[in-house]
Amino acid sequence: MKLIHCADIRLNASPEMSFGQEKGEERNSEILLTFVRMVRYAARNRVNAVLITGNLFIPGDISTNVLHIVKDCITGNPGIDFLYISGRRGRDEFTEAMRPFPQNFKVLGESQESVRYEDKVVISTARRPDELDLSESDLNIVMHYGTINPQDWEDLHIDYLASGGVAALDEGALGNRGRYCYSGTLEGRSFFETGQKGFIRLDISNNTIEPVFIQAAKRMLFTIDLETESSDAQVIKEEINEKLEETEISDSDLVEVRLKGSGISKEALYDIRETFAERFYYFRLDADILAKAEETAAETVEMPESEPETEPKPEIRTYSKTFPVVREDTYGQLREAFIKVVNDSDETEEDKEEILRIGLDALGGESV
């Protein structure tokens, strides 16, 4: 028997404020594509159920177009159960939008309390340890959202605690019998979500559960810390390159350099930023460094003697963190971005055709 454990995919959480509007729209489509690819992986590998432990969507508006694709992934794979728990108490817009529930979509704690497979594998949910009453003879998987104290969940006959609510992959022991695991996110959405991203495949046989991490993200996010004593742009570039060589970073990844130093001119920082922006899919220098540089530049500019004012002076800003306006996700924008991402992916031509068929059929678009 095989299961997939994933969490915190947040298909409606726009990353545009982190990466700018154009890259943000592309990243949205890439994250949606990664979800579709995960479901295709489940179908190809004869996975029995996909466990989504919270926040497939976050609170707020849910794009009808994206919801159609998610529904199509679920209803188009009737041999796979999709077990879901919400990442919060109270109303969940996603479960409301899914009503009436497809037969293979089960909201644990709402539509039913637990699911039993092959007589011994039981999947249930609990918010607190004292809610559990598990049989010692079963192979028990518990879906949970939120941070835990592992000691509180010991000696409860848990074999695998499938947790959500933590962006990074993390796991550990639950006493002598079980393990807990945070699968992390499928894709990083900001530089607070660096590191490996993907999902957990659970291989179950002979009354044992073997977790395997599957790297699924199209791109990885990296944060590089550098403290420099130089103010020379070329020297700082060489120092950054040395740091980059210590990590396996692809030119398709997203990189942030948090630079600490003094006396670095605005021109030098812009030179550094432009050099690495040409190298990576997305590159950013720490905003505070740029702010200090621009403030310093503003303070050292020699101003001419004042003349009588004849017109109001325009407002002058040395630096401000401005975010692009998040545009409403229309059919045309999503369709165009989705097609581009699929065609640029490393999938085989056969897989590209199938993924496009799933996505465009769900969007109500014509074939490509």
Side-chain angles (χ1 to χ4, degrees):
M1 181 176 181
K2 294 180 182 178
L3 306 172
I4 280 178
H5 165 211
C6 62
D8 299 295
I9 301 172
R10 295 169 293 165
L11 291 172
N12 64 331
S14 174
E16 290 179 6
M17 290 192 295
S18 297
F19 309 129
Q21 184 168 298
E22 181 181 351
K23 286 288 194 292
E25 290 177 354
E26 191 165 278
R27 286 296 290 148
N28 268 337
S29 294
E30 289 176 349
I31 293 166
L32 178 59
L33 173 60
T34 299
F35 174 79
V36 173
R37 287 172 48 237
M38 181 188 71
V39 175
R40 282 181 53 77
Y41 177 95
R44 285 183 167 180
N45 288 273
R46 298 184 179 181
V47 168
N48 299 80
V50 175
L51 284 57
I52 305 172
T53 53
N55 284 351
L56 183 57
F57 294 86
I58 63 170
D61 293 335
I62 296 177
S63 162
T64 303
N65 296 327
V66 175
L67 182 64
H68 283 169
I69 292 177
V70 172
K71 278 186 174 180
D72 195 67
C73 286
I74 294 172
T75 58
N77 292 279
I80 302 173
D81 284 342
F82 290 80
L83 310 184
Y84 177 77
I85 62 170
S86 176
R88 63 192 184 282
R89 296 181 184 274
R91 182 173 178 268
D92 183 288
E93 289 89 346
F94 170 59
T95 55
E96 292 296 322
M98 286 293 292
R99 297 182 189 278
F101 295 156
Q103 188 173 359
N104 62 329
F105 178 72
K106 308 175 191 301
V107 182
L108 296 193
E110 181 178 332
S111 60
Q112 58 194 94
E113 294 301 318
S114 63
V115 181
R116 179 179 289 271
Y117 295 97
E118 298 183 354
D119 294 331
K120 288 186 66 70
V121 179
V122 178
I123 304 175
S124 58
T125 186
R127 292 185 178 273
R128 303 187 312 272
D130 59 13
E131 296 176 353
L132 291 172
D133 183 17
L134 305 176
S135 171
E136 184 177 1
S137 61
D138 288 330
L139 199 62
N140 293 301
I141 297 172
V142 177
M143 298 174 65
H144 170 267
Y145 189 87
T147 56
I148 67 165
N149 178 355
Q151 293 180 343
D152 294 340
W153 296 79
E154 294 178 356
D155 303 322
L156 297 174
H157 311 312
I158 299 174
D159 294 282
Y160 183 85
L161 184 64
S163 292
V166 174
L169 175 67
D170 187 27
E171 58 92 28
L174 289 179
N176 296 322
R177 173 167 173 165
R179 302 196 70 77
Y180 70 88
C181 183
Y182 292 96
S183 65
T185 60
L186 273 184
E187 292 265 3
R189 285 188 169 273
S190 74
F191 287 107
F192 293 104
E193 298 180 359
T194 58
Q196 290 183 317
K197 301 298 174 188
F199 57 87
I200 308 295
R201 190 188 73 221
L202 302 176
D203 298 335
I204 302 174
S205 63
N206 300 322
N207 290 328
T208 61
I209 300 175
E210 184 68 31
V212 180
F213 177 75
I214 305 298
Q215 170 71 40
K218 179 177 177 61
R219 307 181 193 277
M220 293 182 65
L221 287 83
F222 295 88
T223 297
I224 305 295
D225 290 305
L226 174 63
E227 188 166 354
T228 182
E229 297 180 356
S230 177
S231 59
D232 182 84
Q234 188 58 40
V235 173
I236 296 173
K237 289 179 191 179
E238 292 172 0
E239 292 176 335
I240 292 174
N241 275 320
E242 289 177 4
K243 286 281 188 178
L244 293 173
E245 289 174 0
E246 296 173 2
T247 309
E248 293 184 6
I249 301 179
S250 165
D251 58 6
S252 64
D253 291 329
L254 298 90
V255 180
E256 178 188 53
V257 172
R258 297 188 296 202
L259 188 63
K260 293 184 179 179
S262 60
I264 307 172
S265 70
K266 177 180 68 174
E267 290 75 14
L269 287 171
Y270 286 165
D271 180 21
I272 295 166
R273 183 172 63 181
E274 291 304 309
T275 297
F276 289 99
E278 295 175 358
R279 176 173 167 183
F280 296 105
Y281 172 79
Y282 179 84
F283 179 83
R284 181 168 75 189
L285 275 179
D286 183 274
D288 290 338
I289 291 290
L290 289 176
K292 291 175 184 176
E294 294 210 359
E295 288 169 2
T296 301
E299 291 170 0
T300 58
V301 170
E302 293 185 5
M303 300 297 292
E305 293 184 7
S306 60
E307 298 179 359
E309 294 186 17
T310 56
E311 296 181 2
K313 288 185 177 180
E315 179 184 2
I316 298 175
R317 298 183 183 180
T318 57
Y319 180 81
S320 65
K321 292 183 179 179
T322 58
F323 299 123
V325 176
V326 178
R327 294 190 300 179
E328 184 178 358
D329 143 55
T330 64
Y331 164 75
Q333 293 166 350
L334 181 59
R335 180 182 185 277
E336 182 179 348
F338 188 76
I339 292 172
K340 181 180 185 301
V341 168
V342 173
N343 285 332
D344 291 346
S345 71
D346 296 329
E347 304 290 332
T348 65
E349 291 303 316
E350 180 182 356
D351 287 347
K352 287 179 182 179
E353 289 181 7
E354 178 65 11
I355 292 171
L356 285 171
R357 183 195 64 77
I358 292 172
L360 295 178
D361 283 354
L363 288 171
E366 66 272 16
S367 60
V368 177

